[in-house]
Each structure stands twice: as C-alpha cells, then as structure tokens.
Amino acid sequence: MTNQGFEEFDVPNSSPNFRTELADKLAELAPEIIADGKLDINKLADLLNKDADSSPERFGLSWPGKREAQHLAQMPTTATLLPDRDNSVDWETTQNVFIEGDNLEVLKVLQKHYYGKIKMIYIDPPYNTGTDFVYKDDFRDSVANYLQWTEQMMRGGKLTSNVETAGRYHSNWLNMMYPRLKLARNLLTEDGVIFISIDDHEAAHLAQIGNEIFGYENSLTSDCTGPFIWPKSGATAGHVVRNHEYIFGWARNKSNLNYFKLSDYGANSIIEDRAIKKISPKNSASAVTLKKGMRFEGENAEFSGVIGTKETMKIHGTLKFRDGLLAEDVELTAGWAMKEQLESWLAGNETFDTKGQKVTEFFFNKSGLLRYSKERGTFHPRTLLNKELVGTTKSASSEIEAVTGKPNPFEYAKPTDLIGYFISFCTSNDDVILDFFAGSGSTGHAVIKQNLKDEQKRRFICVQLPELAAPGSMLETIGFNDIADYARFRIFKADEKLTQNENSASTNISGFRAYKLADTNFAKWKVNATIDENELEDLFNSVRDSANDASSPEELFTETILKLGLSLTEQYEQKELAGLTVFSVGNDLILGYFDEQTKPNLDQLRELVELAEVRLIVLEDAFQGDDELKTNLVQLCKTRGIDLSIA
C-alpha cells in the first residue's frame, strides 16, 4: 500500500512491528537510553540498577534457534485473509470465524483488531511424538514459506514429520511453539487465560517456556506450575500404563483475574456453613449484638453460658427463641468466621464475602449456633479432572460419529466436554475463544455446545493448516482432502444438529465466516541497492498486476479493513452510491471504493464524502495516476472532517 506523502493515507502495510513498538515505548519512558538512534543497553542496565542482572548464567531454558524464534514473533507480516464465502455458514449474521492457514502468520494478522480481546485460548498442539508434523518456519518470509507448503501439498508432496533421529528433536518443537505463544499472549484480555494440552514428550519444556512467556506468577495452579491432569482412555500398556495427559494453564495477568464463575450452579447454588470459628491468636474472640427476629431452625428454645465444642459461643444473658425466631437482642462473644460481613448484614446492607459472593442470611441452627448462607458466585476447579465430567478420547470418538454421521478419522481428538469444562468457568456472555491448532474442530464444536447449555453468546476463532489427508487414511476414505476441510464440516454438522431444535438465531451463535490465509493483495515495498527496472515499476502500483494474482474488490476491501483494525465479523454490504459500487460498514460509517478499473470523477467523490459518516477509503489505483483528483479528495475530506485512507 502506497503513501505518496499524504498524512491521511494511514492504511498500514503489515501487521504491527512489536520490536519497533517496544523500542518506542522504552524511548518514551527513558529517552536517555537512546544514543545515535539506537538503544544503549548499558544505560538501560544502569537505570534499572539492582533490577537488572548482567551475569552470564541464570536459570532458564535455552536451545538452538531460540533467538531466531524470539525474532520471528516480532517480525510483522504482510499476509492477509481472503473471504471464503463458499465454505462459510451464515456469513451475514455469524460472529464465529474459521481460518485456513499457517497459524503463525494468522496470529500476526489478528494482532491489529484482536490485541487484548481474546478471553480464552485453548490449543491442542502437536505433541512431538515423532510422527507429528512440526511447522518449519522460514525466518525470511513465512508467508511465502506457507504458500510453498500449500502448493507442495496440493501436488501431493509430503510434509516431513519431526522424527527423533532427525536431530534437534526438541529444539524443532520449541522453535515452533515459542513464537506462537508469544503472539498468543498479546491477544489475551488482561484477565484472559490460556490452556494447552500436552503429554509427557514435551510437558517439562512447555512448563518452562510457558513460565518465560506468561510469567511463573501467572500460572493458574497457584503456587506452582503444575498442570491439570486429564485421565484419558485408550492408553497403551507397557511396564507402566500411562492413561493421562496434561493441560497447562496461565493467565495474561493473574492480578486482574477474578475468581472463576459459572453461569449456573444448579443444585449447588447456595453455600451454607458455620459463622463461628475456633478461637486462636489469629482469630481472637469479640462481642457482637445479634438482633431480634433472626431465624432459628427450631421452634422454641433457650440457651445460656457457653455452647458449642471446638467452635464456641459465649452468651451474655439468655439466647431465647420463640416460634422459630430470636425473641430479643442478645450479645454473643465468639471467634467469628465473617465478622465484617455479619455486622454489615445486621446493619441492613447488601453484603458480600471476600470473593464477591452475596451473603443472604445469618441464622441459628437447632443447637443455637450461628450459621450463614450465601449465593455461590465462584468456582474452584481441581487439578485432577473427573473423567465422568470431562470425557475421554473414547467419548470424543462417539460424539464425533454421532454428530457427523461418519467414522471418526482422528485417533486422539479431545472431547468437547473437556474443552467445554474450561469454557464454562472462564468465559461468559459474548467472550471470544481462540484455538489456533483447531485440528478436527473440537473447540468450535465445544463453544456451540456450551452456549446452548448455559444460554451464552460466546464466539470462536479456529485456525487450522490445510494439512493433507494421508493416502489411505480414514480421513481420505470418508472423503476429505485435508484437516481444515474436515474441521469446517464437523463444526457445520455440530451447529446443524445441536441447534436444530433450539432458537439459535436469538443467541446469534450459529455459523462461521471462513477465511484463507494469502499473501497481500497489494504490491510489497522492496527497495534496495539491487532493485531492477521491473521492481521499480511495481512501486508505483498498489494492487498486484499479475493475472494469476488478480484480486476482487471484496478481497482488497477485506485486507484494508483488517489492517485498519476492524474485526473479521464486521457487518458490511455492497451498494450503489454516486454511480459507484462501494462497500459500506455500519450504515455508511465507513465507505470504501475498490474498483481499480473505473476511475471516479470529482463529483462522485464529493458525494461519497458527503455520505460517509466517519471514514472514506479509496483504492490508490482507482485514481489511475490522477494526483490532482487525489489532492482534491484530500481537501474535501479535511473540510468535512472525514478520515481518509488510501489503500
């Protein structure tokens, strides 16, 4: 995308460059660390003083290629996403997204709009068992690398597995995972969480890079980086039967993460417990006057002196109950479980415990001891998962067959109940859940299922490489070319089957927009000392000229709005305005003209400026070299206060 010197032309060429952004932020915080336009590491260390560690040895995980993996996460991409309406379901209304492509590049494309907006990420990456395909990223040009893979796959080429005999076995896996997790962290909300399934092959390494990227203090398992344990079925017997896998969890920032909640606690919605505790140096006794009219679980009774065993109450006077109520005010001394809440409730205030759960009542049991009840408002999952609740690989297979009507082509698909379990207490309302190793589509299926279960409107983004079905595999036998194709099919069938008897339109949970990763629709800037005449000519063209790379106006429009920061589910329509075919977002809040074949005249542009509410986007090539027309448009937009972008 060209600029031509107009400051209004603010469509970026690529995804955000986080290496540059970090340098800019450091320079803003401490300008004295910049010397000759570069960051002076020694000055930065001097400023940090004791907070900096310059010793060459420190605890951490290192491996061949780590530095390149770190740089790879920081490199921007010029890639885009092409609308794939043929493979979409309910394009106009859905809030869900399925993307076919290399997840590294897709994660970079998502940075512009979804930075800090994903509430939960669940991934089930390759376990590095020796038969998994492990992405081999090209540090120079990952988009071209991906497109080359795709072309090889379509021609029947085979992607090499990461076999243990190939050398750098663990390093290959770490180099794949590290940049993807770095980019994934950026996408999480401040209270967002990530869950990663893994087995023993790479569990120890995942724990270490997860702690490095997300921070040890942000592990969800409190005082250690221990995983959740999933007792799966179908384990292979040996000297020891291994019938479990792990799920590691981290928060973006645990200090901003409230206690987990469920939308419905069912029969466990009320908590009842003792309102007194054992008296100790940490819980000294104190006196509180309880009020006439408090509920008693019996009918008529009187108590005096000290009552209770380990937890005791000293009664000053007589504790009298008549017809199930406290007959008169009475002073009691005890070690209180929730003294502040008790006093607040007695004063008639709306009262909550330290976890934010509403305290509904303090009352006396039949023994005269004080108790409380409160509405359950938090959920505390246990690290050892109950397979009756979260399912097994066997139940996953049965569910896939029931939903799709075809044999399950995946040996180790995760059950939707497992993913839905985490979705149920980490997300609600219209939160977004991302899975960038979508595999068979279990996460998309789980989101639809959980939404129907608890009547929420969560949205999903699933990303999957179009990895070809192995010759003779079950996936090929049941009629699918690649895994992405199958995942879309499964999500569609789950949507169809689960919502057929539900009013899914009212919850807006159905369907998905499909996209495919592609190289930019616009010419790339590649200025260097060896530039040739043909490349120089390309610099003056916005859209690629090659007949094989011809882009539709919608593809150009989609890339532009993504790079301007709009979402993948933005509602837009094509309409005729001022005699031109334009794209309209939000009832003309944004108007875009992307027809490079038809040059608009000044009157048509003036009318578009009058109709646009906030922004007007015009394709550079639509001016067909008429700089005067472009300049006039700039002035028109300035006069009306309309933001102008030239793509």
Side-chain angles (χ1 to χ4, degrees), residues 382-560:
R382 297 178 181 273
T383 53
L384 183 58
L385 301 175
N386 180 351
K387 70 178 181 179
E388 301 301 322
L389 182 65
V390 301
T392 63
T393 48
K394 185 176 180 179
S395 66
S397 184
S398 298
E399 183 176 38
I400 288 173
E401 292 175 4
V403 164
T404 65
K406 296 177 181 289
N408 171 30
F410 294 92
E411 191 173 357
Y412 300 112
K414 293 296 184 293
T416 57
D417 285 342
L418 173 66
I419 305 168
Y421 175 72
F422 292 102
I423 291 172
S424 70
F425 61 78
C426 292
T427 66
S428 61
N429 300 320
D430 58 354
D431 287 337
V432 182
I433 294 101
L434 169 66
D435 182 351
F436 52 91
F437 285 98
S440 69
S442 295
T443 297
H445 185 168
V447 172
I448 296 168
K449 184 177 174 181
Q450 190 60 40
N451 277 340
L452 291 170
K453 185 177 181 180
D454 57 16
E455 298 182 338
Q456 302 295 298
K457 299 180 182 180
R458 305 173 185 90
R459 298 165 285 163
F460 66 77
I461 300 175
C462 291
V463 185
Q464 177 56 41
L465 189 77
E467 185 179 348
L468 276 187
S473 66
M474 177 59 73
L475 185 62
E476 184 184 64
T477 300
I478 62 176
F480 293 92
N481 293 324
D482 58 64
I483 295 175
D485 192 25
Y486 178 85
R488 283 189 296 260
F489 167 77
R490 177 189 172 181
I491 295 171
F492 165 70
K493 297 301 288 186
D495 189 351
E496 183 181 58
K497 192 173 185 68
L498 292 173
T499 63
Q500 61 184 351
N501 296 319
E502 302 284 344
N503 185 17
S504 60
S506 65
T507 56
N508 202 27
I509 63 173
S510 294
F512 55 85
R513 282 191 179 184
Y515 290 89
K516 291 187 178 182
L517 182 71
D519 205 354
T520 179
N521 293 296
F522 297 86
K524 294 182 182 178
W525 286 77
K526 300 178 181 177
V527 181
N528 56 57
T530 60
I531 190 167
D532 63 30
E533 187 175 339
N534 292 329
E535 290 176 317
L536 184 62
E537 184 178 352
D538 285 342
L539 297 181
F540 297 97
N541 294 315
S542 176
V543 181
R544 294 185 309 223
D545 272 337
S546 169
N548 294 327
D549 289 331
S551 303
S552 71
E554 184 176 25
E555 290 171 345
L556 297 169
F557 170 73
T558 299
E559 176 169 358
T560 301

Side-chain angles (χ1 to χ4, degrees), residues 102 153 194 204 237 267 331 410 441 449 454 472 488 568 601 627:
D102 170 25
M153 287 189 292
I194 183 170
E331 185 180 41
F410 294 92
K449 184 177 174 181
D454 57 16
R488 283 189 296 260
L568 289 168
N601 59 46
D627 287 340

Side-chain angles (χ1 to χ4, degrees), residues 112-133:
K112 186 68 176 180
H113 175 79
Y114 292 95
Y115 187 98
K117 293 183 179 178
I118 304 294
K119 185 60 184 294
M120 173 181 153
I121 296 172
Y122 171 80
I123 56 172
D124 185 18
Y127 284 6
N128 208 20
T129 60
T131 58
D132 300 314
F133 163 61

Side-chain angles (χ1 to χ4, degrees), residues 3-6 8-9 602 605-606 609 618 620 623 625-639 644 646:
N3 189 297
Q4 300 293 331
F6 294 105
E8 290 83 0
F9 306 160
L602 185 58
L605 292 176
R606 181 181 288 109
V609 172
V618 180
E620 168 78 25
F623 294 104
D626 191 338
D627 287 340
E628 182 179 354
L629 181 62
K630 189 191 306 181
T631 301
N632 286 332
L633 177 59
V634 171
Q635 294 306 317
L636 287 172
C637 288
K638 283 184 176 179
T639 301
L644 173 64
I646 304 297

